[in-house]
Amino acid sequence: MTEQAKNPLHGITLEKLLTELVDQYGWEGLAKRIDIRCFKNDPSIKSSLTFLRKTPWARTQVEELFVAMRSKG
């Protein structure tokens, strides 16, 4: 098996990942789990994507939350 096949984020766009997290937790729940201003003040997918693409530490936290959510099933 290749490394990409083992990667739980393989083939998932940042937008899809963020949309699933918002569907699961809502913006308020997301802001409680990850302390990022763009999740608290007038949140939107577009503004959050812009921030996450420019901020590696924040993107990593969002990706880790997504993987944890998916593993809980």
Side-chain angles (χ1 to χ4, degrees):
M1 209 176 220
T2 67
E3 285 302 310
Q4 280 297 1
K6 294 180 197 173
N7 181 350
L9 299 173
H10 180 67
I12 298 174
T13 65
L14 186 57
E15 184 172 3
K16 178 171 176 32
L17 180 152
L18 185 59
T19 300
E20 284 192 32
L21 286 171
V22 172
D23 289 347
Q24 176 72 25
Y25 301 116
W27 288 111
E28 189 175 317
L30 204 49
K32 286 179 183 174
R33 287 166 175 81
I34 303 173
D35 188 18
I36 300 175
R37 191 179 311 132
C38 68
F39 292 166
K40 296 176 181 179
N41 300 336
D42 195 25
S44 72
I45 295 291
K46 184 176 180 183
S47 66
S48 297
L49 286 173
T50 299
F51 176 77
L52 293 171
R53 287 182 178 127
K54 294 178 182 175
T55 316
W57 65 264
R59 182 177 181 150
T60 299
Q61 288 186 16
V62 169
E63 289 173 345
E64 288 172 354
L65 179 61
F66 178 79
V67 170
M69 178 191 76
R70 279 269 180 105
S71 67
K72 289 178 187 173

